[in-house]
């Protein structure tokens, strides 16, 4: 299926690895001009090379911390307007509620919530003026099913859903849409260390560790396995395309290729 992304410019934050990198690859392969952001020059250059290797021909990188007001300003100067904004930048950690400091709360909100707020505030007016655009927040199933050891992370993901839904209300009657994607646990850099930190036997083979995680911590999962980053990217590419014109204000749970409309 042609997703009709040729000629569109997409900005993807946190795209030097994991889900963000796969989203950038997929959008570029579909013909979009892709701009990715990153804080580390070496990682940014490596990601740009990876996107080129996968077939992307029109890509650019912006060296900036999208989680800071200064970084958002750098991005806005580098790209005055975009057609598609993918607010993917995010971090997570497992920590007992009593050990989560004020600084921890503030840091996760800066990275996971305010990064998307600032860039949406920058680019939404232009989308409305041109009467076309896509804003996509990469949230998490944790925004609805709150893990007891990640309450601060889950709260930021719930906040993203509120921001996304509120912005969608501002697009009423236009060809601009704002949606959220809620992946389950996704295979990416650092996930093995996280799974082992949850395991009864951290030294067990990774397949056993993963199976235990889904049997205990994610027993409600339908897939009972890690989601692959490219599976999330495929859903994002569809939402970014003109073909998703009737999908607005939705929170879509991504478990592999299956999607459940939540809102």
């Amino acid at each position: 299926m042609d997703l009709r992304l040729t000629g569109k410019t997409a900005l993807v934050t946190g795209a030097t690895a994991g889900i963000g990198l796969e989203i950038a690859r997929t959008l570029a392969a579909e013909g979009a001009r892709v701009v990715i952001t990153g804080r580390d020059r070496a990682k940014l250059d490596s990601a740009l090379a990876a996107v080129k290797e996968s077939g992307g021909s029109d890509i650019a990188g912006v060296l900036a911390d999208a989680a800071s007001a200064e970084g958002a300003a750098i991005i806005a100067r580098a790209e005055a307007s975009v057609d598609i904004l993918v607010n993917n930048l995010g971090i997570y950690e497992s920590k007992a509620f009593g050990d989560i400091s004020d600084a921890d709360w503030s840091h996760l909100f800066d990275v996971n919530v305010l990064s998307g707020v600032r860039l949406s505030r920058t680019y939404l007016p232009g989308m409305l003026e041109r009467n076309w655009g896509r804003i996509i927040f990469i949230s998490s199933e944790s925004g609805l099913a709150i893990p007891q050891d990640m309450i601060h992370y889950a709260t930021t993901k719930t906040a993203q859903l509120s921001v996304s839904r509120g912005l969608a209300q501002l697009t009423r009657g236009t060809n601009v849409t704002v949606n959220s994607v809620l992946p389950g646990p996704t295979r990416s850099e650092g996930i093995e260390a996280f799974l082992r930190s949850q395991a009864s036997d951290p030294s067990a083979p990774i397949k056993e560790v993963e199976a235990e995680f889904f049997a205990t911590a994610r027993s409600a999962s339908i897939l009972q396995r890690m989601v692959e980053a490219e599976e999330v990217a495929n859903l994002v590419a569809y939402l970014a395309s003109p073909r998703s014109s009737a999908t607005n204000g939705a929170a879509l749970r991504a478990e592999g290729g299956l999607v459940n409309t939540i809102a």
Side-chain angles (χ1 to χ4, degrees), residues 13-260:
T13 62
T16 58
I19 292 174
L21 179 55
E22 289 302 324
I23 291 171
R25 281 177 172 148
T26 302
L27 294 177
E30 289 291 337
R33 174 178 177 263
V34 176
V35 181
I36 66 176
T37 71
R39 297 179 302 169
D40 182 275
R41 170 55 68 185
K43 290 183 178 179
L44 185 61
D45 289 344
S46 177
L48 290 170
V51 175
K52 287 181 180 178
E53 289 175 3
S54 63
S57 59
D58 192 357
I59 62 171
V62 179
L63 185 65
D65 181 3
S68 69
E70 296 79 8
I74 292 171
I75 295 168
R77 287 195 296 269
E79 295 294 328
S81 67
V82 299
D83 303 296
I84 300 158
L85 170 62
V86 183
N87 290 311
N88 169 75
L89 181 64
I91 56 174
Y92 65 92
E93 65 176 350
S94 174
K95 184 174 283 191
F97 176 71
D99 295 334
I100 304 172
S101 67
D102 286 359
D104 293 332
W105 280 98
S106 295
H107 182 51
L108 260 72
F109 262 89
D110 280 340
V111 176
N112 294 358
V113 182
L114 287 179
S115 62
V117 167
R118 292 189 184 104
L119 292 177
S120 297
R121 190 169 57 207
T122 295
Y123 294 116
L124 178 61
M127 293 179 183
L128 293 173
E129 183 178 347
R130 296 188 300 274
N131 196 31
W132 200 92
R134 300 285 185 265
I135 297 178
I136 302 166
F137 286 83
I138 306 303
S139 181
S140 167
E141 67 170 12
S142 294
L144 297 176
I146 315 300
Q148 65 181 12
D149 62 329
M150 302 175 72
I151 293 175
H152 54 336
Y153 167 76
T155 301
T156 66
K157 292 303 174 177
T158 306
Q160 283 184 315
L161 300 182
S162 295
V163 173
S164 175
R165 182 70 181 190
L167 292 181
Q169 299 285 358
L170 301 180
T171 70
R172 189 183 300 272
T174 74
N175 292 315
V176 179
T177 67
V178 185
N179 295 290
S180 294
V181 173
L182 288 70
T186 304
R187 199 179 310 281
S188 60
E189 182 179 344
I191 194 65
E192 180 174 335
F194 171 75
L195 292 176
R196 291 192 183 281
S197 73
Q198 307 286 301
S200 59
D201 179 8
S203 64
I206 188 59
K207 287 187 177 180
E208 294 180 15
V209 170
E210 183 175 329
E212 179 189 15
F213 175 78
F214 281 96
T216 57
R218 296 294 188 275
S219 59
S221 168
I222 296 172
L223 286 184
Q224 286 293 297
R225 66 165 175 83
M226 303 297 292
V227 177
E228 301 298 334
E230 56 266 31
E231 294 176 308
V232 180
N234 289 338
L235 175 56
V236 172
Y238 167 72
L239 289 175
S241 80
R243 293 189 180 275
S244 68
S245 55
T247 305
N248 194 13
L252 304 176
R253 182 173 177 179
E255 278 202 327
L258 301 179
V259 181
N260 297 324

